[in-house]
Amino acid sequence: MKILVTNDDGVHSPGLRLLYQFALSLGDVDVVAPESPKSATGLGITLHKPLRMYEVDLCGFRAIATSGTPSDTVYLATFGLGRKYDIVLSGINLGDNTSLQVILSSGTLGAAFQAALLGIPALAYSAYLENWNELLNNKEAVEIMGAVVSSTASYVLKNGMPQGVDVISVNFPRRLGRGVRAKLVKAAKLRYAQQVEERVDPRGVRYYWLYGRDLAPEPETDVYVVLKEGGIAITPLTLNLNAVDAHREVDIDSLNRMVEYINASL
């Protein structure tokens, strides 16, 4: 199996290294990722300037860095390097990617959606963490995360993407320990109440900071499972934005079997 691993936090992210290590047992892995963080770039691609790729060796961890966005990396890996992939794994993102509000702007999900547009099964992984030390200092948590990545990716490689699903988003809670379970849930509509703060720079010119205030999570959604229940949210997503045929058949049975497969690995 040929696997592409990418992200939006950049080639130096510990989450990228973790995802690469977790994927090694599944097949032949290529790592192609942005040379610097490209969070909140969504499906953005670079059309106004040339893109570059170069190989980097990060203490024995070899990867190809690109000057583009996460979406660019998928095109560069497939068309620039001329390689065909059986699956694309994006992440592991530092910070959760829960709710449609966040999903639509996420570079982590953007790379997965670009893969889906090319007909490649794709999974995106994100963790509700403020820094990687929260996880890396916990051997049990790393093992659980690895089991989830391995089980989700191997399930899709063996069975294909469930009917009606283009991308599967996996969100980990802050604390991963024995007894944690995966749950199949929809994406909430909102994660934050958008805020804009106006300031004035030393030259007297106004500038603005965009940020969000946490909203109370809606039950039975990805936000609720990760933030309130402390579980692992498995959220199937579709690229179909056409209202006239949005009622496509989704293979819920296959999705539930996948979740059972994940929980059996924990």
Side-chain angles (χ1 to χ4, degrees), residues 186-203:
K186 68 178 183 179
K189 184 176 182 180
L190 296 174
R191 169 82 162 81
Y192 303 103
Q194 290 297 122
Q195 305 284 315
V196 179
E197 182 173 329
E198 180 183 299
R199 299 182 183 181
V200 179
D201 69 18
R203 296 182 178 181

Side-chain angles (χ1 to χ4, degrees), residues 126-149:
S126 310
Y128 178 46
L129 300 170
E130 291 186 0
N131 64 75
W132 280 110
N133 289 334
E134 293 182 57
L135 179 88
L136 297 178
N137 293 329
N138 186 333
K139 181 180 178 181
E140 183 179 69
V142 172
E143 290 176 350
I144 291 172
M145 187 174 280
V148 172
V149 170

Side-chain angles (χ1 to χ4, degrees), residues 96 98-99 128 187-192 213-230:
D96 62 287
T98 56
S99 81
Y128 178 46
K189 184 176 182 180
L190 296 174
R191 169 82 162 81
Y192 303 103
R213 173 176 52 81
D214 284 347
L215 292 170
E218 177 188 353
E220 296 301 315
T221 64
D222 53 356
V223 181
Y224 194 89
V225 167
V226 173
L227 272 65
K228 292 297 183 182
E229 295 182 351

Side-chain angles (χ1 to χ4, degrees), residues 53-68:
M53 289 190 288
Y54 55 94
E55 192 169 292
V56 293
D57 187 338
L58 308 172
C59 300
F61 172 52
R62 302 185 71 81
I64 295 175
T66 79
S67 59

Side-chain angles (χ1 to χ4, degrees), residues 3 19 22-26 87 89 123 125 142-162 168 170 172 180-183 232 234 254-266:
I3 301 164
L19 187 55
F22 297 153
L24 281 175
S25 63
L26 303 172
I87 196 168
L89 308 180
L123 297 100
Y125 302 92
V142 172
E143 290 176 350
I144 291 172
M145 187 174 280
V148 172
V149 170
S150 178
S151 59
T152 50
S154 63
Y155 184 91
V156 171
L157 285 169
K158 292 175 184 176
N159 301 283
M161 193 68 77
I168 294 174
V170 179
F172 296 99
V180 68
R181 311 301 288 171
K183 189 173 183 179
I232 302 166
I234 309 297
S254 178
L255 287 165
N256 283 323
R257 286 194 296 271
M258 182 182 70
V259 173
E260 291 172 2
Y261 187 73
I262 297 166
N263 284 327
S265 73
L266 298 174

Side-chain angles (χ1 to χ4, degrees), residues 70-84:
S71 293
D72 289 331
T73 67
V74 175
Y75 285 119
L76 290 171
T78 52
F79 299 116
L81 299 178
R83 297 173 185 173
K84 294 184 178 180

Side-chain angles (χ1 to χ4, degrees), residues 34-51:
E35 61 189 358
S36 60
K38 302 289 184 183
S39 296
T41 53
L43 277 162
I45 58 174
T46 303
L47 300 175
H48 60 285
K49 61 182 179 181
L51 296 170

